[in-house]
Amino acid sequence: MGRLQGKRVLVTGASSGIGRACALRFAAEGASVAAWARRGDRLRELVDELRAAAPEAEHVTGEVDVRQREPVFQAVEHLVAEWGVPHVLLNNAGLAAGLDPIQAGDPDDWDRMIDTNIKGLLNVTRALLPRMIEEGRGHVINIGSTAGHLAYPKGNVYGATKFAVRALTEGISLDLAGTPIRVSSVDPGMVETEFSSVRFHGDQERAAGVYKGFQPLTPDDVADIVAYVAGTPEHVNILDVVVYPTAQRNVYVIDRKS
Ligand code: NDP
Ligand code: 8X3
């Protein structure tokens, strides 16, 4: 029996991309998944797949916008009462909005990124951590980014949010010293998801161009790593994993064939 069998995992941003792949991977490992995102139609499709992957587990969904602090706290209370305290919280919900020099940036885009990637992660983590501490177990896994390790032109605010996620992973881990709660970060390079379509406000052609001429990571590649991190023995805490596609060596060096 694998270590994730019978565990409960809360995945934020489960309606697409990395979060969706992680939800399916956790279910395939025998875990029960609470899948949160804003798009309920996507979540309803996902839960059918989760039930097919792990019929014996108890999968639930939540239409939760991680930016809305009070509803997040209420959703956590409801989840804990009806389903139980998650063993793993995967803080994945996030986005980039825009790719412009700061002097031409849209402050509304900045707000969305800061409110989702930093404050959304904090909202869910703050609501859940006391319950994990009471239970005497838990694992918080944050999806960071290689953009949180090296700034790139026009990546300004997105990169700042991911540098913040890295700082929060370390800071939360330090604050939890003396508890058994583990804190980890998985920081991918380029992964083909809806990320670029969201970044370019629905411009699919521009989004497709981001992944042209090389093989990017897939959401399943990242889910493999997240499942590994979550499945290590309880005395092992992987603080940070940085993963690139082989064709990408840092945020600037990408071997594009066309
Ligand atoms: P997607 O756009 O495919 O997925 C993003 C997910 O986040 C969706 O499920 C979306 O759901 C959810 N989300 C966005 N805003 C909110 C919100 N306010 N409340 C709740 N959920 C929200 O992109 P990815 O899978 O690529 O992105 C997932 C994470 O991975 C992000 O944190 C991103 O920064 C990070 N990342 C991505 C990389 C890439 O190259 N793709 C590389 C490194 C890191 P919904 O819209 O239904 O709410
Ligand atoms: C997403 C990776 O390089 O597009 O976090 O910013 S990148």
Side-chain angles (χ1 to χ4, degrees):
M1 193 172 82
R3 288 199 189 88
L4 295 171
Q5 180 83 36
K7 295 282 164 60
R8 284 187 292 277
V9 184
L10 169 56
V11 179
T12 70
S15 62
S16 172
I18 294 168
R20 186 176 192 284
C22 289
L24 287 164
R25 178 58 188 266
F26 280 121
E29 300 276 345
S32 294
V33 174
W36 282 10
R38 293 166 301 176
R39 286 172 290 179
D41 53 337
R42 295 281 195 101
L43 293 176
R44 283 185 285 280
E45 284 169 24
L46 173 65
V47 83
D48 290 341
E49 288 187 56
L50 294 171
R51 287 178 183 142
E56 72 289 352
E58 195 191 343
H59 307 297
V60 295
T61 61
E63 285 180 44
V64 179
D65 183 335
V66 295
R67 295 172 296 182
Q68 306 294 323
R69 183 167 298 140
E70 201 43 48
V72 165
F73 274 69
Q74 286 166 8
V76 164
E77 280 310 299
H78 179 76
L79 185 75
V80 165
E82 298 294 318
W83 188 71
V85 179
H87 297 80
V88 178
L89 163 61
L90 180 64
N91 279 315
N92 163 77
L95 78 159
L99 185 68
D100 300 298
I102 202 81
Q103 61 274 24
D106 180 343
D108 289 339
D109 282 345
W110 304 344
D111 286 345
R112 281 171 65 211
M113 291 187 276
I114 292 166
D115 289 350
T116 310
N117 302 358
I118 304 177
K119 292 165 74 178
L121 179 151
L122 284 169
N123 290 339
V124 184
T125 306
R126 176 65 182 84
L128 193 56
L129 262 183
R131 311 310 294 261
M132 286 181 162
I133 293 168
E134 271 167 30
E135 291 290 302
R137 49 108 184 121
H139 194 167
V140 178
I141 304 177
N142 297 326
I143 299 296
S145 171
T146 52
H149 291 259
L150 183 64
Y152 59 87
K154 304 178 187 172
N156 42 62
V157 175
Y158 177 69
T161 66
K162 291 300 183 177
F163 270 82
V165 170
R166 192 147 71 95
L168 284 170
T169 300
E170 286 188 30
I172 295 166
S173 179
L174 289 170
D175 290 346
L176 291 168
T179 78
I181 315 300
R182 297 186 281 168
V183 186
S184 306
S185 172
V186 174
D187 300 347
M190 294 171 95
V191 191
E192 190 161 8
T193 64
E194 295 174 16
F195 176 86
S196 290
S197 164
V198 171
R199 166 170 254 175
F200 300 131
H201 304 105
D203 183 339
Q204 303 294 351
E205 206 179 317
R206 192 171 175 203
V210 172
Y211 309 106
K212 266 210 179 113
F214 77 105
Q215 185 175 358
L217 295 172
T218 67
D220 286 339
D221 294 327
V222 181
D224 276 348
I225 294 162
V226 169
Y228 179 81
V229 169
T232 51
E234 300 223 341
H235 69 285
V236 176
N237 185 34
I238 296 174
L239 182 64
D240 196 4
V241 181
V242 180
V243 53
Y244 285 103
T246 304
Q248 181 186 13
R249 299 302 160 122
N250 72 15
V251 291
Y252 303 104
V253 178
I254 303 172
D255 180 26
R256 291 185 198 266
K257 297 297 184 201
S258 56

